[in-house]
PDB file of all heavy atoms in Angstrom:
ATOM      1  N   LEU A 219      14.914 -76.489 -23.958  1.00 90.00           N
ATOM      2  CA  LEU A 219      14.917 -75.770 -22.721  1.00 90.00           C
ATOM      3  C   LEU A 219      15.298 -74.364 -23.025  1.00 90.00           C
ATOM      4  O   LEU A 219      16.364 -74.062 -23.690  1.00 90.00           O
ATOM      5  CB  LEU A 219      15.825 -76.375 -21.706  1.00 90.00           C
ATOM      6  CG  LEU A 219      15.276 -77.577 -20.929  1.00 90.00           C
ATOM      7  CD1 LEU A 219      16.425 -78.051 -19.971  1.00 90.00           C
ATOM      8  CD2 LEU A 219      14.057 -77.189 -20.139  1.00 90.00           C
ATOM      9  N   ASP A 220      14.579 -73.350 -22.519  1.00 85.00           N
ATOM     10  CA  ASP A 220      14.909 -71.994 -22.644  1.00 85.00           C
ATOM     11  C   ASP A 220      15.658 -71.552 -21.438  1.00 85.00           C
ATOM     12  O   ASP A 220      15.131 -71.436 -20.357  1.00 85.00           O
ATOM     13  CB  ASP A 220      13.634 -71.122 -22.801  1.00 85.00           C
ATOM     14  CG  ASP A 220      13.968 -69.626 -23.132  1.00 85.00           C
ATOM     15  OD1 ASP A 220      15.065 -69.337 -23.254  1.00 85.00           O
ATOM     16  OD2 ASP A 220      12.961 -68.895 -23.214  1.00 85.00           O
ATOM     17  N   GLU A 221      16.988 -71.322 -21.573  1.00 81.00           N
ATOM     18  CA  GLU A 221      17.821 -70.935 -20.489  1.00 81.00           C
ATOM     19  C   GLU A 221      18.012 -69.474 -20.346  1.00 81.00           C
ATOM     20  O   GLU A 221      18.777 -69.007 -19.505  1.00 81.00           O
ATOM     21  CB  GLU A 221      19.175 -71.602 -20.658  1.00 81.00           C
ATOM     22  CG  GLU A 221      19.204 -73.152 -20.759  1.00 81.00           C
ATOM     23  CD  GLU A 221      18.776 -73.763 -19.363  1.00 81.00           C
ATOM     24  OE1 GLU A 221      18.904 -73.181 -18.331  1.00 81.00           O
ATOM     25  OE2 GLU A 221      18.332 -74.892 -19.379  1.00 81.00           O
ATOM     26  N   SER A 222      17.277 -68.704 -21.210  1.00 81.00           N
ATOM     27  CA  SER A 222      17.485 -67.248 -21.127  1.00 81.00           C
ATOM     28  C   SER A 222      17.026 -66.624 -19.804  1.00 81.00           C
ATOM     29  O   SER A 222      17.640 -65.648 -19.357  1.00 81.00           O
ATOM     30  CB  SER A 222      16.679 -66.603 -22.328  1.00 81.00           C
ATOM     31  OG  SER A 222      15.275 -66.770 -22.148  1.00 81.00           O
ATOM     32  N   ILE A 223      15.996 -67.146 -19.161  1.00 77.00           N
ATOM     33  CA  ILE A 223      15.514 -66.600 -17.884  1.00 77.00           C
ATOM     34  C   ILE A 223      16.598 -66.805 -16.822  1.00 77.00           C
ATOM     35  O   ILE A 223      16.959 -65.933 -16.016  1.00 77.00           O
ATOM     36  CB  ILE A 223      14.158 -67.140 -17.506  1.00 77.00           C
ATOM     37  CG1 ILE A 223      13.144 -66.705 -18.534  1.00 77.00           C
ATOM     38  CG2 ILE A 223      13.815 -66.785 -16.062  1.00 77.00           C
ATOM     39  CD1 ILE A 223      11.797 -67.388 -18.340  1.00 77.00           C
ATOM     40  N   ALA A 224      17.152 -68.088 -16.747  1.00 77.00           N
ATOM     41  CA  ALA A 224      18.156 -68.443 -15.876  1.00 77.00           C
ATOM     42  C   ALA A 224      19.400 -67.568 -16.107  1.00 77.00           C
ATOM     43  O   ALA A 224      20.097 -67.107 -15.186  1.00 77.00           O
ATOM     44  CB  ALA A 224      18.519 -69.918 -15.915  1.00 77.00           C
ATOM     45  N   TYR A 225      19.704 -67.390 -17.374  1.00 83.00           N
ATOM     46  CA  TYR A 225      20.901 -66.592 -17.762  1.00 83.00           C
ATOM     47  C   TYR A 225      20.717 -65.173 -17.307  1.00 83.00           C
ATOM     48  O   TYR A 225      21.616 -64.501 -16.810  1.00 83.00           O
ATOM     49  CB  TYR A 225      21.131 -66.700 -19.271  1.00 83.00           C
ATOM     50  CG  TYR A 225      22.325 -65.952 -19.804  1.00 83.00           C
ATOM     51  CD1 TYR A 225      23.612 -66.468 -19.576  1.00 83.00           C
ATOM     52  CD2 TYR A 225      22.167 -64.754 -20.473  1.00 83.00           C
ATOM     53  CE1 TYR A 225      24.684 -65.763 -19.969  1.00 83.00           C
ATOM     54  CE2 TYR A 225      23.298 -64.054 -20.921  1.00 83.00           C
ATOM     55  CZ  TYR A 225      24.542 -64.547 -20.674  1.00 83.00           C
ATOM     56  OH  TYR A 225      25.645 -63.872 -21.136  1.00 83.00           O
ATOM     57  N   GLY A 226      19.505 -64.613 -17.578  1.00 85.00           N
ATOM     58  CA  GLY A 226      19.191 -63.220 -17.126  1.00 85.00           C
ATOM     59  C   GLY A 226      19.317 -63.082 -15.557  1.00 85.00           C
ATOM     60  O   GLY A 226      19.832 -62.075 -15.147  1.00 85.00           O
ATOM     61  N   ASN A 227      18.832 -64.152 -14.847  1.00 83.00           N
ATOM     62  CA  ASN A 227      18.994 -64.028 -13.341  1.00 83.00           C
ATOM     63  C   ASN A 227      20.419 -64.032 -13.005  1.00 83.00           C
ATOM     64  O   ASN A 227      20.823 -63.323 -12.005  1.00 83.00           O
ATOM     65  CB  ASN A 227      18.202 -65.165 -12.733  1.00 83.00           C
ATOM     66  CG  ASN A 227      16.713 -64.973 -12.801  1.00 83.00           C
ATOM     67  OD1 ASN A 227      16.229 -63.853 -12.966  1.00 83.00           O
ATOM     68  ND2 ASN A 227      16.040 -66.066 -12.693  1.00 83.00           N
ATOM     69  N   LYS A 228      21.242 -64.778 -13.607  1.00 87.00           N
ATOM     70  CA  LYS A 228      22.684 -64.949 -13.314  1.00 87.00           C
ATOM     71  C   LYS A 228      23.395 -63.522 -13.554  1.00 87.00           C
ATOM     72  O   LYS A 228      24.108 -63.072 -12.718  1.00 87.00           O
ATOM     73  CB  LYS A 228      23.298 -65.994 -14.119  1.00 87.00           C
ATOM     74  CG  LYS A 228      24.785 -66.172 -13.894  1.00 87.00           C
ATOM     75  CD  LYS A 228      25.438 -67.290 -14.661  1.00 87.00           C
ATOM     76  CE  LYS A 228      26.871 -67.398 -14.459  1.00 87.00           C
ATOM     77  NZ  LYS A 228      27.487 -68.437 -15.319  1.00 87.00           N
ATOM     78  N   ILE A 229      23.025 -62.959 -14.703  1.00 91.00           N
ATOM     79  CA  ILE A 229      23.628 -61.625 -15.009  1.00 91.00           C
ATOM     80  C   ILE A 229      23.212 -60.582 -13.910  1.00 91.00           C
ATOM     81  O   ILE A 229      24.020 -59.764 -13.522  1.00 91.00           O
ATOM     82  CB  ILE A 229      23.187 -61.173 -16.407  1.00 91.00           C
ATOM     83  CG1 ILE A 229      23.758 -62.110 -17.488  1.00 91.00           C
ATOM     84  CG2 ILE A 229      23.580 -59.760 -16.680  1.00 91.00           C
ATOM     85  CD1 ILE A 229      25.212 -62.134 -17.570  1.00 91.00           C
ATOM     86  N   GLU A 230      21.830 -60.649 -13.580  1.00 90.00           N
ATOM     87  CA  GLU A 230      21.327 -59.741 -12.585  1.00 90.00           C
ATOM     88  C   GLU A 230      22.055 -59.852 -11.284  1.00 90.00           C
ATOM     89  O   GLU A 230      22.448 -58.931 -10.581  1.00 90.00           O
ATOM     90  CB  GLU A 230      19.893 -59.919 -12.408  1.00 90.00           C
ATOM     91  CG  GLU A 230      19.154 -58.999 -11.474  1.00 90.00           C
ATOM     92  CD  GLU A 230      18.970 -57.645 -12.131  1.00 90.00           C
ATOM     93  OE1 GLU A 230      18.786 -57.538 -13.394  1.00 90.00           O
ATOM     94  OE2 GLU A 230      18.917 -56.634 -11.393  1.00 90.00           O
ATOM     95  N   THR A 231      22.373 -61.080 -10.851  1.00 90.00           N
ATOM     96  CA  THR A 231      23.136 -61.393  -9.618  1.00 90.00           C
ATOM     97  C   THR A 231      24.553 -60.825  -9.717  1.00 90.00           C
ATOM     98  O   THR A 231      25.073 -60.244  -8.762  1.00 90.00           O
ATOM     99  CB  THR A 231      23.139 -62.883  -9.300  1.00 90.00           C
ATOM    100  OG1 THR A 231      21.818 -63.383  -9.336  1.00 90.00           O
ATOM    101  CG2 THR A 231      23.805 -63.209  -8.057  1.00 90.00           C
TER     102      THR A 231
END
Side-chain angles (χ1 to χ4, degrees):
L219 279 177
D220 185 3
E221 299 293 339
S222 64
I223 295 172
Y225 182 73
N227 288 339
K228 182 179 177 182
I229 296 297
E230 186 75 28
T231 303

